[in-house]
Amino acid sequence: MATIQEEENLIDYSPKSPTKGGLKTMPFIIVNETLEKVASYGLQPNMVIYLMKGYNLEAVTATSILNIWSALSHGLALLGAFVSDSFFGRFRVVAIGSISSLFGMTILWLTTMIPPLRPLPCDQFEINECNKPTPAQFFVLLFSFGIIAVGAGFVRPCSIAFGADQLDNKENPKNKRIMESYFNWYYATIGMSTLVATTLIVYIQDAFGWQIGFGIPAILMLFSVSAFLLGSPLYIKVNASESLFTGFFQVLVAAVRKRNINLHSANCGNYYHHSPDSEIQALTNSFRCLDKACIIEDPQIDINRDGSASNPWKLCSVEQVESLKSLLRVVPIWSTNIMVQLSLNQFSFSTLQIQTMNRHIFFSDFEIPAGSFSVFMVITLIIWIALYDRVFVPLMARHTGQQGGLSPVLRMGIGLVLSSAALAISAITEAIRRHIAIDQKDIYPQDGPNIASVDMSAMWFVPQYVLLGLADAFNAIGLVEFLYSELPKSMSSFVVAIFTLGMAVSGFFGSLIENVLDSVTSYGGEISWLSSNINKGHLDYYYWLLAFFNILNFLYFLLICQYNRPRGPS
């Protein structure tokens, strides 16, 4: 097993530039990414409580806003990747995103310090009797969320790829192993950031209030921006290239325009257009209808003297066609990650549940903040990544000769199973908690999220968080490695954007499920499953529904693995 010093030597092997890139850039990049994660993730766990108490919103409304905020933060990663790869390059996009996040967090901080930016507080926590936020107050709140989302969308897809730019060296024979280790430890760093955010930042919010609790993330974001900009002279800054999105549309348009061409009459490689710098020499067998886009009909008309296409909307390169094919091939596998991410987004309801329970540790006076319980998921993720990368993979390589450990697809499948199990345990735990709360009604008659503590330890929630941490470690990292192995290097920023797009879809899908379920279950004056008074609602039914969706998702995954096998070149 290689030591850390050996890996440092490997990373510095034959660098692209004697003065730029390499390990010396990692402190600036990692500090930027770490502080951005601590700041942004530190705002999320308790945000549902802030929206319900500070803005007098119902539980479903608050969680829907947070789901949409999360969806935008991840969905805008596509915009960040597009701007990065096509116009500004990764360095500028990460810098712009970091500054945007700082601006948004500062506005959110101001909502805690300027009373007119919030509605008047309620004397009692009865949502229907409280003042709702005015349009202006709501606008300021949502504007801060939107600016933070833009910042996250710019930083998150480009930061990991920007770090890879500093280390990736094809001349190094150990390059593949270095990059695999980099991805694992990058996510471990994210885990450590989340650990700090869900413990220290959440504790400060609970102990010292929203003004300090939201002010510290804004200050950390200021340090994040400063650290990243200080390392500017040392970075390898890859220039922006041609827009991938434009290339995709060109392939589709060219294929439609040439739809009447018979592929069998153009089965020789000389009929296909190759761009001068293309490394792809053959077309794959999948989606062969797209091959028509790169068929040369008349070399005198279609090709310029420098070898480029005279009309890129009529003739595309083999590389463009294969990039689109690669994207289409990974979509089915990618889509299975949506339900896992939806399962991980249930923190808002979990926070409301845990808030009603006994959160003391071993009869001590210290009480764990309700928003900090996701720390058990993060700790599990970090421990598993460390054990997998430093123990399991070397042992497997020693005994089987397989250098990369378990295949990405196998790890994704394991993650799907663990996600289903976690939701089933969540449903059982909530059924027990609700039953105890109802039995104590005569003792604790108070309604709403401020209900007195239920005589049940919040440690019951630890197993489900552990399983969710394992599910994320298996599925997320497996999916990212799968995407990097299947897609061309020119789509490196796009890879992370595709991954985060799954998180975005899960956020919108989760918000849709919650609102539809709330409307359906409250029809005719019935109490909604997702009632703000969770003791009257039925969160256990909701978790069972998500567990059922996860099982269907796993069966869909197996079907994809059975029928969507890799194909060789034509």
Side-chain angles (χ1 to χ4, degrees):
M1 179 169 56
T3 64
I4 295 177
Q5 183 61 45
E6 288 172 344
E7 288 197 1
E8 291 178 354
N9 294 336
L10 290 174
I11 292 174
D12 286 333
Y13 176 92
S14 186
K16 297 177 182 178
S17 168
T19 59
K20 295 183 181 293
L23 280 179
K24 59 182 174 293
T25 63
M26 288 298 104
F28 301 100
I29 296 173
I30 290 176
V31 166
N32 168 259
E33 180 69 12
T34 300
L35 293 182
E36 190 273 336
K37 288 292 186 296
V38 171
S40 58
Y41 289 174
L43 294 173
Q44 296 174 8
N46 274 340
M47 188 59 71
V48 65
I49 300 175
Y50 180 64
L51 294 181
M52 293 179 71
K53 290 187 175 181
Y55 282 82
N56 308 329
L57 300 179
E58 296 182 1
V60 171
T61 304
T63 55
S64 294
I65 290 174
L66 295 181
N67 278 333
I68 293 174
W69 180 32
S70 174
L72 286 175
S73 298
H74 295 112
L76 288 173
L78 283 176
L79 176 63
F82 170 68
V83 172
S84 168
D85 289 344
S86 305
F87 300 105
F88 297 148
R90 291 171 194 135
F91 168 75
R92 290 181 180 177
V93 168
V94 173
I96 293 170
S98 299
I99 294 171
S100 178
S101 292
L102 172 61
F103 183 44
M105 290 180 189
T106 302
I107 295 175
L108 184 62
W109 183 18
L110 291 177
T111 67
T112 69
M113 296 189 294
I114 303 177
L117 293 179
R118 301 187 314 275
L120 294 175
C122 301
D123 294 331
Q124 295 181 349
F125 204 87
E126 290 292 339
I127 301 297
N128 293 330
E129 299 178 4
C130 293
N131 295 318
K132 301 296 182 182
T134 65
Q137 292 168 339
F138 216 45
F139 172 80
V140 172
L141 175 69
L142 297 183
F143 180 73
S144 69
F145 285 166
I147 296 299
I148 294 172
V150 171
F154 274 44
V155 171
R156 293 175 188 175
C158 301
S159 180
I160 184 173
F162 185 69
D165 288 341
Q166 315 307 311
L167 301 178
D168 192 14
N169 182 10
K170 298 300 183 185
E171 296 179 10
N172 187 347
K174 300 294 185 180
N175 187 67
K176 184 176 184 295
R177 173 58 183 149
I178 290 170
M179 297 308 294
E180 288 178 352
S181 183
Y182 165 70
F183 290 135
N184 279 331
W185 286 105
Y186 181 90
Y187 279 97
T189 301
I190 293 177
M192 290 297 296
S193 305
T194 310
L195 182 64
V196 174
T198 54
T199 53
L200 181 60
I201 302 299
V202 172
Y203 175 77
I204 290 173
Q205 291 169 0
D206 277 16
F208 300 101
W210 303 115
Q211 294 184 7
I212 296 177
F214 283 5
I216 289 178
I219 294 172
L220 290 177
M221 200 63 228
L222 176 62
F223 288 131
S224 173
V225 173
S226 302
F228 185 75
L229 295 179
L230 281 174
S232 177
L234 302 176
Y235 299 143
I236 294 173
K237 300 172 184 176
V238 179
N239 294 326
S241 58
E242 183 181 356
S243 168
L244 284 171
F245 291 99
T246 302
F248 293 157
F249 283 117
Q250 287 173 341
V251 171
L252 293 174
V253 171
V256 171
R257 295 178 69 173
K258 298 179 180 180
R259 60 188 179 277
N260 295 324
I261 292 179
N262 187 355
L263 281 174
H264 296 291
S265 65
N267 56 9
C268 175
N270 293 331
Y271 287 94
Y272 296 124
H273 172 53
H274 296 266
S275 61
D277 56 348
S278 174
E279 297 179 357
I280 300 177
Q281 299 300 322
L283 291 163
T284 54
N285 288 324
S286 58
F287 304 105
R288 294 209 63 190
C289 60
L290 298 177
D291 294 352
K292 298 177 181 181
C294 60
I295 291 177
I296 302 173
E297 296 180 281
D298 187 340
Q300 300 298 323
I301 299 176
D302 294 342
I303 304 297
N304 295 323
R305 291 184 178 181
D306 61 358
S308 62
S310 59
N311 184 356
W313 294 93
K314 188 177 180 181
L315 178 64
C316 301
S317 67
V318 171
E319 184 177 32
Q320 286 178 292
V321 172
E322 282 304 308
S323 293
L324 180 56
K325 284 185 177 183
S326 299
L327 178 62
L328 295 175
R329 280 195 297 267
V330 302
V331 166
I333 288 288
W334 163 84
S335 64
T336 62
N337 180 253
I338 294 174
M339 281 306 305
V340 177
Q341 297 303 323
L342 193 153
S343 303
L344 296 172
N345 284 341
Q346 301 310 309
F347 294 132
S348 297
F349 286 118
S350 296
T351 300
L352 296 179
Q353 293 171 270
I354 295 172
Q355 195 179 24
T356 69
M357 303 172 72
N358 180 2
R359 291 174 274 123
H360 294 91
I361 302 178
F362 304 119
F363 306 103
S364 66
D365 292 332
F366 178 74
E367 187 176 54
I368 304 176
S372 293
F373 268 73
S374 57
V375 71
F376 294 106
M377 183 181 77
V378 179
I379 291 174
T380 302
L381 184 145
I382 295 172
I383 292 175
W384 172 249
I385 289 176
L387 290 175
Y388 181 82
D389 189 70
R390 293 300 178 182
V391 178
F392 182 81
V393 172
L395 285 176
M396 189 171 180
R398 185 180 306 168
H399 291 92
T400 66
Q402 185 174 342
Q403 297 297 322
L406 300 176
S407 70
V409 173
L410 178 57
R411 275 182 279 165
M412 289 176 64
I414 294 173
L416 296 179
V417 173
L418 292 173
S419 176
S420 302
L423 284 168
I425 292 178
S426 297
I428 295 171
T429 304
E430 169 57 15
I432 296 172
R433 188 209 65 80
R434 183 175 181 274
H435 178 73
I436 294 175
I438 292 174
D439 285 346
Q440 295 178 179
K441 184 175 181 180
D442 293 335
I443 304 175
Y444 304 122
Q446 187 179 1
D447 288 341
N450 284 345
I451 189 171
S453 178
V454 176
D455 188 17
M456 178 181 178
S457 173
M459 293 299 148
W460 278 72
F461 277 76
V462 173
Q464 67 196 54
Y465 277 115
V466 169
L467 287 177
L468 285 174
L470 288 173
D472 194 27
F474 274 100
N475 193 270
I477 298 176
L479 177 59
V480 170
E481 288 189 18
F482 173 79
L483 294 175
Y484 265 96
S485 66
E486 293 292 320
L487 297 179
K489 180 174 172 52
S490 60
M491 299 174 68
S492 56
S493 290
F494 200 70
V495 164
V496 184
I498 295 170
F499 173 72
T500 54
L501 178 62
M503 299 181 180
V505 174
S506 71
F508 285 117
F509 186 44
S511 179
L512 176 64
I513 290 177
E514 290 167 8
N515 282 278
V516 170
L517 193 63
D518 180 62
S519 299
V520 171
T521 56
S522 62
Y523 183 77
E526 297 293 328
I527 297 176
S528 169
W529 289 2
L530 306 180
S531 170
S532 296
N533 184 335
I534 59 174
N535 292 342
K536 292 182 178 179
H538 265 293
L539 282 176
D540 50 340
Y541 294 172
Y542 172 60
Y543 290 141
W544 279 123
L545 180 63
L546 293 184
F548 175 70
F549 286 159
N550 270 266
I551 293 172
L552 292 180
N553 186 52
F554 177 66
L555 296 177
Y556 166 62
F557 173 81
L558 295 179
L559 190 65
I560 293 171
C561 294
Q562 180 67 28
Y563 292 102
N564 191 20
R565 298 179 183 278
R567 303 182 182 183
S570 57

